[in-house]
Every structure is written in structure tokens, then in C-alpha cells.
Amino acid sequence: PSFLKFPVCSPHLSNMCVACLRTQVDISEGIPKQVTVHFCKQCERYLQPPASWVQCALESRELLALCLKKLKSSMTKVRLIDAGFLWTEPHSKRIKIKLTIQKEVMNGAILQQVFVVEFVVQYQMCDDCHRVEAKDFWKAVVQVRQKTVHKKTFYYLEQLILKHKLHQNSLNIKEIHDGIDFYYGSKQHAQKMVDFLQCTVPCRSKTSQRLISHDIHSNTYNYKSTFSVEIVPVCKDNVVCLSPRLAQSLGNMGQVCVCVRVTSTIHLIDPSTLQVAEVDGNTYWRYPFNSLCNPRQLEEFIVMDLDIIRDQKLGAGAGVRSNKHTLAEVWVQKTSEMDTSQQYHCRTFLGHLLNIGDLVLGFDFANSNINDEHLNKMNPHHVPDVVLIKKSYDRSRRVKRRNWKLQEMARDREGMDTDDERQYQDFLEDLEEDEALRKNVNIYRDASKIPVESDTDDDGAPRISLMEMMEELSLADATGGEGADMMTD
């Protein structure tokens, strides 16, 4: 019959079809269709009531969960089936979510409904950003200082901090001319940094605090703490003159020594006997000594003659000798005085590296005017004419062959010296030459640099093998790009 072609209300528990039931019942009643969410523009975080701020990318799972929590109290009588974002302009200050809910109505009939909730984004500054704007955001500062011309120790310290991730708790890092400042939001984080510094470099520290405010009703005090850390003013490749008492306590070694490494202690070597000793921070502050030269005062010499000393007898009470170095007597001449016959004779600990004709950097005591209390009291016959420090290689070739890099801390720079780049290159060369020093440093392979290999360019300069390098991990933004599927699956 023809009347069967027309739709007829199917019998139901409520005796109404779904279409008619929807006109009578709205299961989304009581659920707000417009909700406000608070967003901080400075740190780009959303407020998660009551007082926490979370980082959420647009159309991310975290943002969806945050928005649904806003509706949780009004959706207790319905069942949430599905929720998803509707596209809106990124700068529209609107977030739209399409919700699918179910509810049992009228004698057991289950009704499903789809509707849209609009979230209006309102700007509100979080407490952390408030303190930053008020210039009162830090509660403790660690001031690290070293009174030296060269920054080798700071570069080494930076790599240790990066490896152990000690910089993540700092609010700000500011680099100044003779040191670096770490700002923290709590005194405990600053104390943790001070403890780390005392374990990794020879130093001493002092603590002071300043009263900011005091509440007489609750008897609470607000202090700002300052930790002052002073690192010993000695760097790698410095020539030092020890006091007679300290030299005697270290195994009757010579007073004129060379610093070969600075870790948690100062590693010294006597260039005339190969005796080695370590001086910790407490010993240094009891018997202090200064560097006799800075890297700019080193001169270039050429080896004219070399004689390895095989059997060296040490006196009574002598300390430990180095097995990694070779004692030798050399005749050297300054490259700036090649037109003269002036040559210098000295002993050196670089006998395992030097050959006749090699270039070497050293400090000329014979033609220098040094004002040092310990050196001035020494017998002039015991002061060497020249102290050789390190073998010299062509820097441009080393830079060209270097296929690795280091990470750097993000920090504010003030009063930077134009000599910083040269000092940083010196530190990279020290890592190539000293295997023990780079064990505590994360070295990454530089994929952007392809070293040029050539037989004519190989001058014997030390290199870092690929086995010691790490692959740098780089993930793209989780909201899009390479790594998006991996982060969201």
C-alpha cells in the first residue's frame, strides 16, 4: 500500500521516535556552552585549577584534558563518548571542542547527542612571571669567580654542569667578565650547585643573606641568599712557583712546576724531574701560589737538539713520577730570533712528543721580569731559562679537521672579551690532547662538518676518535614535523 512509503514513529519505551525524542529532551542541559580558560603570555602556560600552570600545545592531548576538567562537575549525569577539537584560528582566542554524550531518558531510552563547547582564552599572568616582572623572582644566587686571564676552567666546568644537568633548576644564568652567576628560586637548589662545585673544582665558598621582608604576625622571614664561590686562580698550562714548604711536603719536588690539568685538584708536574703531585683546594688556600705567566706571554720555540734522559735518580723522599711523560734535555731557539745565534738549554717533560725541528710553546724566564714572592727568594741557578709548555700545531688545520662539537649553556653575556674565541679554541685543543680530561665531557659528532683528509695535512696533531663521540639527539616539535607521529601514537 502507498501509505507504507511514509515514515512512521517506531514503537519505543517512550512511545516516541529518536527524532521526536530529541525535540522534547536536551541531555546537554546544565553543561555550559562557553567556558573561560586562563593563559599566561609570558611563559605560554595554561592555568590548571586551583593553582598549577601547565604547558600545552594547541590541539594536544594535554589541552583537551585540561578543558574537559573544566566541564567535569557539570557532566556527572551524562556519559562522555567522544571529544575532539574543531579547527579555529590560532590567534582567535577561541578553542572549540565537539563533545558526544549519552544519557538514559524516559523509561530506559538511551539518547546520544553531539554539541560544541567554546572555550574563551583570557590572559592572566602566572605567579612566576609576576615575580620576574617585579625583579624579585630569585631567592638565591651562586656567584662563581676565578681571578685568571684564561677561562679554561670555566669551559670545563660548563661541560660538567651540562653533563649532570645542574643548570635545569636555574632561573637565569648570567656571564660576566670574571665569572658566572646562577640564579635560583630556592635556597636548596643553590646549595646543591655549591656542593657540586666543591666536588668538581678546587674552590672555597662563603654564604651571606639579606632580609627582604618580615611578617610580625606569622613570624615568617623572607631572605635572599648569596653563595660566593672562588675557584683557585690557576689554569691548565700555567707555570707556577710553589712555596718551599709546600714543595717539600709534595715529595721534595722543584718549586717551578707546570699545571697539566685542573679537575677537583690541581695536577702539577716538575719539568726537571717528572715528579707529579696533586694540590686540593684546602691545601692551596693554606699555601697559595700564583701563575707566573698567561697564555699571551708564551713564545714559540723551535727544537734544535734533543737528548732523552733514560736513568734519572731522584733524591730521598721523592714523590711519584709520571709514566705518561718522558724527560729530555733540549736546545731551543725562538722563532723570532732565527737570524741570531741565541739558544736556550732546558729540561722538559715533553720528550715523548718532541723531535728536532718541532715547534713548541714555552715561557722565557731569562728575559722576563717576574714579581713573585716565592720566585724572588729562589736561588737564581735553580730557575730554568725556559719552561716548555706544549707542542705547537697549525691551528687552522686542526679546526678544519675537527668533526665534533660541544654543547653550550643558554646564558646572558655581559662585558665579553674579544679574546674569548681564541680561549675557547685553546680549550678544544686541550680536549684533543688530554684523554683523561675529556672523559668527563660529552662530545658530539658534528654532522655538518666533513673533515678533509689529506696526507700532506697530517702534522701529527692529536684527534678524538669516533668511538668517543656521541650522536646529538634532536626531536622536532611534537605538534608537527618529524617526531610528531612518534610523540602522539
Side-chain angles (χ1 to χ4, degrees):
S2 60
F3 67 87
L4 294 179
K5 298 180 181 179
F6 298 96
V8 178
C9 290
S10 59
H12 201 271
L13 293 176
S14 60
N15 293 324
M16 299 178 66
C17 68
V18 175
C20 294
L21 193 59
R22 284 196 182 126
T23 60
Q24 299 295 325
V25 180
D26 182 13
I27 63 174
S28 67
E29 186 178 2
I31 301 176
K33 304 303 187 292
Q34 191 175 63
V35 185
T36 301
V37 292
H38 297 283
F39 176 73
C40 179
K41 290 194 294 185
Q42 272 74 11
C43 60
E44 297 184 351
R45 294 186 298 174
Y46 292 88
L47 174 62
Q48 181 172 331
S52 61
W53 293 80
V54 293
Q55 193 95 21
C56 300
L58 287 176
E59 299 192 4
S60 64
R61 296 178 181 179
E62 294 80 8
L63 184 57
L64 182 61
L66 186 144
C67 293
L68 291 178
K69 284 182 181 179
K70 290 270 188 178
L71 305 174
K72 186 176 181 180
S73 59
S74 60
M75 297 179 62
T76 55
K77 296 182 180 181
V78 298
R79 181 184 178 189
L80 180 64
I81 301 300
D82 188 24
F85 287 100
L86 294 178
W87 187 86
T88 56
E89 288 287 347
H91 303 289
S92 64
K93 300 181 185 178
R94 297 291 187 273
I95 300 173
K96 292 184 179 182
I97 297 180
K98 183 173 70 172
L99 301 177
T100 304
I101 60 174
Q102 283 183 353
K103 185 180 179 182
E104 184 178 341
V105 296
M106 291 188 183
N107 303 322
I110 297 178
L111 190 62
Q112 180 171 309
Q113 186 174 342
V114 179
F115 65 100
V116 176
V117 179
E118 183 181 69
F119 292 84
V120 181
V121 179
Q122 286 190 357
Y123 293 140
Q124 177 180 329
M125 189 176 291
C126 65
D127 295 337
D128 294 337
C129 294
H130 259 299
R131 287 194 291 269
V132 171
E133 292 298 321
K135 307 300 181 184
D136 189 31
F137 62 99
W138 60 272
K139 294 295 179 65
V141 58
V142 180
Q143 299 175 339
V144 187
R145 300 290 183 268
Q146 188 185 29
K147 299 176 182 178
T148 55
V149 180
H150 209 287
K151 296 183 179 180
K152 285 184 179 181
T153 308
F154 274 113
Y155 291 134
Y156 174 68
L157 186 60
E158 177 186 9
Q159 297 304 316
L160 290 179
I161 292 173
L162 286 170
K163 182 172 184 176
H164 296 279
K165 300 180 180 179
L166 263 295
H167 64 295
Q168 293 182 343
N169 293 326
S170 59
L171 300 176
N172 188 24
I173 302 175
K174 184 181 294 184
E175 182 178 353
I176 59 177
H177 179 66
D178 59 347
I180 190 167
D181 295 341
F182 298 88
Y183 294 90
Y184 293 93
S186 67
K187 186 177 178 180
Q188 290 76 14
H189 289 155
Q191 184 65 56
K192 185 178 179 181
M193 171 60 82
V194 174
D195 295 341
F196 175 77
L197 293 175
Q198 290 176 339
C199 295
T200 52
V201 289
C203 62
R204 62 180 177 181
S205 63
K206 293 187 298 183
T207 306
S208 64
Q209 58 184 11
R210 179 164 56 97
L211 180 64
I212 302 301
S213 61
H214 169 44
D215 188 353
I216 60 175
H217 300 290
S218 61
N219 200 27
T220 58
Y221 295 82
N222 182 18
Y223 289 102
K224 278 192 173 182
S225 303
T226 300
F227 297 86
S228 178
V229 180
E230 182 181 359
I231 303 175
V232 295
V234 177
C235 288
K236 185 180 184 299
D237 297 335
N238 282 167
V239 182
V240 298
C241 183
L242 309 179
S243 64
R245 188 172 180 179
L246 178 59
Q248 184 180 8
S249 66
L250 296 177
N252 291 326
M253 66 188 305
Q255 289 184 245
V256 178
C257 298
V258 178
C259 176
V260 293
R261 190 182 306 119
V262 176
T263 54
S264 58
T265 57
I266 305 172
H267 299 254
L268 301 175
I269 187 171
D270 185 353
S272 60
T273 61
L274 289 189
Q275 277 188 251
V276 291
E278 295 184 15
V279 179
D280 58 10
N282 294 330
T283 305
Y284 174 85
W285 299 118
R286 284 201 305 269
Y287 308 104
F289 50 87
N290 298 317
S291 173
L292 303 181
C293 65
N294 61 59
R296 290 184 177 181
Q297 293 175 311
L298 296 180
E299 299 192 51
E300 191 176 59
F301 296 85
I302 185 170
V303 180
M304 308 302 293
D305 193 11
L306 182 138
D307 185 16
I308 301 296
I309 301 177
R310 301 294 179 185
D311 299 322
Q312 169 72 10
K313 294 183 179 180
L314 300 179
V320 182
R321 291 188 62 186
S322 173
N323 297 323
K324 298 180 180 180
H325 302 85
T326 303
L327 189 63
E329 289 187 351
V330 293
W331 286 91
V332 294
Q333 186 175 13
K334 290 184 181 180
T335 55
S336 59
E337 298 177 351
M338 294 298 291
D339 55 344
T340 66
S341 59
Q342 179 65 41
Q343 293 187 4
Y344 303 92
H345 175 264
C346 65
R347 284 191 174 189
T348 180
F349 58 94
L350 301 175
H352 60 296
L353 295 176
L354 299 181
N355 296 300
I356 296 177
D358 286 346
L359 297 178
V360 61
L361 296 177
F363 183 62
D364 182 9
F365 275 89
N367 300 311
S368 299
N369 184 13
I370 304 171
N371 185 17
D372 183 80
E373 58 173 339
H374 302 313
L375 189 68
N376 294 337
K377 296 178 183 179
M378 283 184 61
N379 187 341
H381 298 288
H382 295 164
V383 179
D385 292 338
V386 173
V387 175
L388 301 181
I389 304 297
K390 58 190 297 187
K391 187 176 179 179
S392 178
Y393 301 96
D394 189 344
R395 170 164 288 183
S396 61
R397 291 181 180 178
R398 297 184 72 169
V399 173
K400 187 187 303 182
R401 286 200 302 256
R402 187 172 295 138
N403 59 339
W404 55 273
K405 61 182 179 180
L406 301 176
Q407 289 185 338
E408 294 186 18
M409 289 189 303
R411 56 191 183 270
D412 299 333
R413 300 175 183 267
E414 291 184 2
M416 291 295 97
D417 194 356
T418 55
D419 201 34
D420 285 352
E421 181 60 30
R422 185 187 66 82
Q423 295 183 15
Y424 188 68
Q425 292 297 326
D426 288 342
F427 173 68
L428 298 182
E429 293 175 1
D430 290 342
L431 289 179
E432 292 176 335
E433 296 168 5
D434 193 343
E435 182 180 357
L437 187 66
R438 62 176 179 261
K439 285 183 178 178
N440 298 324
V441 177
N442 286 341
I443 298 173
Y444 298 91
R445 190 174 67 88
D446 191 355
S448 62
K449 291 186 64 176
I450 302 176
V452 180
E453 299 291 343
S454 175
D455 295 337
T456 58
D457 289 342
D458 190 7
D459 54 355
R463 303 191 199 180
I464 298 179
S465 63
L466 287 173
M467 296 293 292
E468 299 178 78
M469 300 181 193
M470 302 172 61
E471 291 290 341
E472 189 172 20
L473 180 63
S474 58
L475 287 178
D477 187 8
T479 58
E482 298 179 2
D485 298 335
M486 180 181 67
M487 299 291 288
T488 55
D489 284 348

